[in-house]
Every structure is written in structure tokens, then in C-alpha cells.
Amino acid sequence: VKHPLMHEWTLWFTKPPSGKGDNWNELLKEVVTFSSVEEFWGIYNNITPTSELGLKADYHLFKKGIRPEWEDQQNKHGGKWSYSFKDKRSVPIDDLWLHAQLAAIGETLENDGDNEVMGVVVNVRKGFYRVGLWTRTTGKSIPGDKGEGRSAAKGKEVLENIGRRFKEVLRLKDTDVVEFSGHTDSAHSGSTRAKAKYTV
Ligand code: M7G
């Protein structure tokens, strides 16, 4: 018996660079696409845990058909919630990444119809792990978007609600701060360290 997921999901991996010449495109690899709970566990049980990956590796779990890149047409108006765990030895990163993935595929991060969650990401870096949640918009309506469109106030509320759920999934304290930034800000600053637009 297979328990179907609401969406199909694709797991991607960013290989740690081997030399100087490696660019983003050569390092990003599509791993596998799945559509059931059982397939998820089969994959989960057979891949290297985050805690054993090399520096600069990432896992990306995105809805099928969306590349885990700013440039993807479906991401280019969006942004991400993210939190960096600075104490790598004490943080249970494998549990946190598992729970982030289960929340994504189980569709518990947003309300029906929000249509914001694109995927979740874990980055292994020198001195920290970062877990991110990519959204379709930054709370503003997108030109040419189908449907009602949201007011700016409603858009901010939808995104903050998603940010709060993500914060719970990551088991953070109220006093911890999860930040949202738009991808265009990230692309322009050449890194993810861009101005936070919202915080929860
Ligand atoms: P990062 O992994 O988001 O953060 O970006 P880090 O600075 O903590 O490592 C690292 C670098 O990877 C960026 O400066 C880009 O060179 C590249 N990179 C990351 N992302 C998510 C993208 C992307 O979506 N598109 C492109 N072209 N490059 C990216």
C-alpha cells in the first residue's frame, strides 16, 4: 500500500566543490522524485545524513518541476525563511532536517490555498548549519498571477504564519529570530546574507 503525498517532490544535492573552478550549476544535482510516504522513507533511509556531509554541501527538497534556484521562473518573485544553527556539535541537525522535510511533504507549513511553499533546504557550512524554507512570493502580489491576488497586509500575514510554523518545526525558542529575505536581494548581494524583510 502506498500513501500518496499531496504533491510530487524532488530531492536535489549540492556537492561540495572539489576544486576552484566548480560553479553552482556543475555542483547542483537532481537526485530523485517521489510521490508517496513509503518512497520518502526508502530514500531517507538510504542517503547520507546531513551531519555526515562535507562543508558547502546542501540538500534541497522541492516540489517537482521547481529548480532550487533563484532563477527558476517560479522562484524569481519569492524569498525564503531561514535560520542558522551556530553550534554544530550540539544541534540535532538530522532530526531538524527530517522534521522540515516531513512538514513540507505533509503540507503542514501553510494553509490550503496559500500556495507559497516551494521547498526546504539545508546548508552545511563552516561554523553553522542553515535551514531554509522557500516561498513563491515575498508577500506582494506577482504581476500576471492567477486568482484574486492578495493585499500587501494579507500577504505579509500569510508569510509570517508560514514563518511561525517553520520556527516550531525547527523547535526554536520564542526569543530566537527566524528571518525572511527576498531572492532578488540575495542575488544582488551575491549571497544569502541579505536584508531581512520580515522576522518571526
Ligand atoms: P548559499 O548557499 O545560499 O549561501 O549561496 P552561503 O553564502 O552561506 O554559502 C552560496 C553561493 O552559491 C552563492 O553566492 C551563489 O554563488 C551560489 N548560489 C546559491 N544559490 C541558492 C544559488 C541560486 O539559486 N542560483 C545561483 N546562480 N547561484 C546560487
Side-chain angles (χ1 to χ4, degrees):
V1 182
K2 281 194 180 180
H3 295 80
L5 299 170
M6 184 102 77
H7 289 94
E8 287 189 88
W9 295 83
T10 302
L11 181 69
W12 301 72
F13 177 60
T14 312
K15 286 198 307 177
S18 51
K20 277 258 183 288
D22 300 316
N23 63 41
W24 167 258
N25 280 300
E26 292 165 307
L27 299 171
L28 180 65
K29 306 284 180 193
E30 189 173 333
V31 180
V32 63
T33 296
F34 59 92
S35 58
S36 72
V37 174
E38 289 78 4
E39 286 172 285
F40 170 77
W41 288 114
I43 294 158
Y44 178 80
N45 288 327
N46 284 286
I47 60 172
T48 306
T50 305
S51 59
E52 293 174 21
L53 297 177
L55 291 180
K56 301 197 180 177
D58 312 312
Y59 280 128
H60 317 254
L61 183 67
F62 273 64
K63 285 177 181 163
K64 184 187 169 182
I66 306 170
R67 291 179 62 88
E69 300 181 306
W70 313 313
E71 294 90 346
D72 188 286
Q73 288 303 308
Q74 298 170 86
N75 285 324
K76 67 178 197 179
H77 300 288
K80 66 167 189 179
W81 285 104
S82 77
Y83 187 82
S84 295
F85 293 90
K86 305 250 162 52
D87 190 354
K88 287 175 83 173
R89 279 174 308 175
S90 73
V91 66
I93 192 63
D94 297 325
D95 283 1
L96 297 178
W97 174 237
L98 172 60
H99 285 107
Q101 292 181 97
L102 291 173
I105 68 177
E107 310 281 343
T108 64
L109 291 165
E110 64 184 343
N111 292 327
D112 281 353
D114 285 350
N115 189 22
E116 283 287 351
V117 173
M118 311 305 268
V120 288
V121 183
V122 63
N123 307 128
V124 179
R125 297 292 181 269
K126 186 172 155 66
F128 62 96
Y129 293 113
R130 185 195 297 119
V131 185
L133 161 58
W134 286 36
T135 61
R136 191 176 60 87
T137 78
T138 62
K140 291 188 288 196
S141 57
I142 295 173
D145 232 9
K146 288 195 284 285
E148 328 79 85
R150 298 180 191 122
S151 68
K154 175 69 179 161
K156 179 173 190 267
E157 190 184 308
V158 168
L159 285 194
E160 286 178 345
N161 194 36
I162 292 167
R164 281 189 291 268
R165 293 206 198 162
F166 190 50
K167 185 172 178 173
E168 286 173 25
V169 166
L170 298 181
R171 299 187 203 147
L172 294 169
K173 300 192 300 277
D174 288 351
T175 50
D176 294 323
V177 179
V178 181
E179 296 189 337
F180 182 88
S181 59
H183 295 315
T184 45
D185 303 339
S186 310
H188 290 153
S189 71
S191 124
T192 310
R193 279 167 258 108
K195 281 199 298 277
K197 199 171 186 313
Y198 312 121
T199 56
V200 292

